């Protein structure tokens, strides 16, 4: 699934069937390349949900067990603020070659693993991801 298709999806608590938030962004980590955190627009407190707390990523909603799975930045061990959202960042190889701007991320909605990065119409295998910072996404040179 492309992240552009997931953005704006509702986050629903299984315990209450209440809509808690909407998906606005993501934070990814390498080794293996996967989504670590979803950033959210919420009605209450907290702005993040860890991928491990996602029960299902369905066509209409993302489900979590309960509202207490939505957390604040200080509760999450990876950088997950808006500055670390990879979409719209430069994609650079480890040798400094500018590949372009990251347009989208294709991920497995069951596991959260990154299947490919899409930058300026190029498809980059997810296993080439080395890191994501406030300035750029860094990938292994081909």
């Amino acid at each position: 699934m492309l992240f552009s298709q997931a953005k704006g999806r509702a986050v629903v608590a299984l315990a209450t069937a209440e809509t808690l938030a909407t998906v606005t962004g993501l934070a990814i980590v390498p080794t293996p390349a996967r989504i670590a955190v979803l950033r959210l627009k919420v009605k209450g407190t907290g702005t993040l949900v860890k991928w491990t707390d996602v029960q299902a990523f369905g066509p209409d909603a993302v489900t979590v067990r309960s509202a207490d799975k939505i957390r604040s930045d200080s509760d999450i061990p990876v950088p997950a603020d808006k500055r670390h959202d990879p979409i719209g960042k430069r994609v650079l190889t480890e040798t400094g070659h500018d590949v372009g701007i990251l347009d989208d991320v294709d991920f497995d909605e069951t596991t959260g693993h990154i299947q490919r990065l899409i930058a300026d119409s190029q498809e980059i295998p997810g296993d080439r991801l080395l890191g994501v910072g406030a300035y750029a996404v860094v990938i292994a040179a081909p």
Side-chain angles (χ1 to χ4, degrees):
M1 167 180 285
L2 295 176
F3 185 73
S4 59
Q5 298 168 332
K7 193 171 182 176
R9 198 162 290 191
V11 177
V12 176
L14 289 173
T16 61
E18 175 187 8
T19 299
L20 305 171
T22 56
V23 175
T24 61
L26 73 160
I28 58 179
V29 293
T31 320
R34 62 183 166 73
I35 295 175
V37 175
L38 294 174
R39 280 199 354 272
L40 310 171
K41 179 178 179 183
V42 298
K43 295 177 181 179
T45 60
T47 58
L48 307 169
V49 65
K50 294 190 303 186
W51 185 268
T52 55
D53 289 330
V54 169
Q55 295 296 304
F57 210 107
D60 298 321
V62 176
T63 57
V64 295
R65 187 147 320 278
S66 60
D68 67 346
K69 297 302 180 186
I70 296 179
R71 318 225 178 160
S72 64
D73 287 358
S74 61
D75 297 331
I76 305 290
V78 297
D81 60 15
K82 188 173 174 95
R83 294 178 309 129
H84 288 88
D85 191 327
I87 307 295
K89 297 241 182 310
R90 289 223 162 275
V91 178
L92 303 173
T93 66
E94 61 193 324
T95 58
H97 177 74
D98 188 343
V99 176
I101 302 295
L102 186 67
D103 297 316
D104 217 336
V105 174
D106 183 15
F107 68 99
D108 181 310
E109 61 267 20
T110 304
T111 64
H113 286 159
I114 306 297
Q115 295 174 329
R116 60 193 171 113
L117 304 169
I118 302 168
D120 290 348
S121 301
Q122 295 181 57
E123 295 186 5
I124 303 158
D127 62 359
R128 287 183 52 199
L129 178 69
L130 296 176
V132 178
Y135 175 73
V137 174
V138 180
I139 60 171

